Structure formats: C-alpha cells, structure tokens
Amino acid sequence: MANSSEFGSQLSIGSNASRTSNSKSESVKVIVRCRPMSDKEVKGGHKQIIDMYCDRGVIQIHKSSTGEDESPKIFTFDAVYDWNSNQTDLYEEIFRPLVDSVLEGFNGTVFAYGQTGTGKTFTMEGSADKPGIIPNSFEQIFNCIARSHNQQYLVRSSYLEIYQEEVRDLLSKDQSLRLELKERPDIGVYVKDLSSFVCKSIKEIEH
C-alpha cells in the first residue's frame, strides 16, 4: 500500500422516516474509472495497455512487453467508465441511487481507491464546472430535505483521508495529527477523535 491511498467522505443523516427491511437490496459494488493519459505520459512515449467495454463492465489488460499472441487479462466489474466518461453520468447512474437509500435511513459509503495520480480527487471533488461525487451528493441531500414534509433530518459531516495506512482528519486545524481506528460493541468500527459537524446547508458543509 506504499503507493496507494484511500479517499473517503462520509455523511451521517438521521431521519425519522420509516423504512422496511426489504425495500432495498444491500450489496457492495465495485466501479472502475480510468482517466485519459496525461500530456506527460503521451510525450514520454507511454502506451495505453487497456481496453474498456463499458456496456459489459469488462476491462482487458495487455502486457506491452509481450507478443501479440498472448491473451489479455480480463476483469469484470459492476460497472466501468472510460476516459470519455463525465461526472454527471457517473453520479446519476451509480451514486444517486446510493444517496437515495441514505435519505431513506440506510448506511451508504463511497470509497475511492487507487494510486496517486489516478483521479480519485477529481472523481470525488471535481472542479467548479465539473463537480464530483461529494458536491453532487450535497446538492441532492439538501434538495431532498428542502422538499420534504413532516420529516426532520440531522446532517453531520466528517472528512478523512487514509494514506499509507495513516488516518488524517481533513477538517482538523492540525493536519499533523494521525488518528486511530477503534471498535466498540455498540457502534462498531470508528475513527477516534474524528471531527463531526452538524450542517444545515450546502454552504455550511462546503466550508
């Protein structure tokens, strides 16, 4: 894991809405997104060694140092998005249903994993004109709350990064602090001393 990092964002939403045990299926889905080659990679003579079949959720990896007669390695995922994918389609197809479930009272987690430079931050945060999963989920959540009737919601936000097996609170004023994973019988696994803030609007949660 020396060259890998995990980038996580968690929203805790409490609602008094009722739910039924069979209204949603629970499962872990693995989604793969591949960024385009950078200008530096192109200028350096690097070659693309993967083929992505988004309609089938399949990725083929070719070894560039071998002959053409060697079969590629094939991997199948719940969904794959190639370098032509955009932030909006990714969110609408994959993450909007997850946030819908969170608003119904179920736990939901988005976990971005990959080596440095693979596009985790862009996918999660995006940019001003191409917002990622985090700002899109803020908008969806608070739009839903604004439209709701006879329900009360409590939104808490935490923001953490796990890099080289170290946990860092991205909302802490002291970024030198490294937090610990703990476990309790009543709440399960948690991060000790992780900041958590009650948020009443998109503006509050973004700042």
Side-chain angles (χ1 to χ4, degrees), residues 164-181:
Q164 294 184 344
E165 301 183 8
E166 292 186 337
V167 182
R168 185 161 61 102
D169 185 350
L170 297 179
L171 297 180
S172 173
K173 294 181 180 179
D174 186 355
Q175 289 297 298
S176 65
L177 294 177
R178 296 297 179 262
L179 306 184
E180 295 179 300
L181 286 175

Side-chain angles (χ1 to χ4, degrees), residues 10-124:
Q10 182 179 33
L11 280 172
S12 299
I13 302 177
S15 168
N16 63 356
S18 62
R19 64 182 184 180
T20 58
S21 60
N22 60 354
S23 62
K24 293 286 184 181
S25 62
E26 296 182 9
S27 64
V28 175
K29 293 185 178 181
V30 180
I31 316 300
V32 175
R33 188 185 196 187
C34 182
R35 65 163 173 78
M37 293 181 65
S38 67
D39 292 339
K40 182 179 180 181
E41 290 166 340
V42 173
K43 292 178 180 178
H46 296 282
K47 296 181 179 179
Q48 180 179 302
I49 62 169
I50 68 170
D51 295 321
M52 304 187 74
Y53 301 92
C54 301
D55 57 331
R56 294 185 284 132
V58 172
I59 294 177
Q60 291 185 351
I61 302 179
H62 306 269
K63 289 187 176 180
S64 58
S65 60
T66 61
E68 296 182 359
D69 56 340
E70 183 171 340
S71 299
K73 294 184 180 295
I74 301 175
F75 301 91
T76 302
F77 301 91
D78 292 290
V80 300
Y81 288 81
D82 64 16
W83 37 89
N84 296 313
S85 63
N86 61 66
Q87 302 281 66
T88 300
D89 290 343
L90 182 67
Y91 187 81
E92 293 296 326
E93 294 169 9
I94 301 299
F95 300 105
R96 181 172 289 277
L98 176 63
V99 176
D100 283 337
S101 295
V102 171
L103 290 164
E104 293 176 6
F106 294 88
N107 291 325
T109 300
V110 179
F111 200 88
Y113 179 86
Q115 290 183 315
T116 300
T118 52
K120 300 182 301 299
T121 300
F122 177 73
T123 295
M124 294 294 286

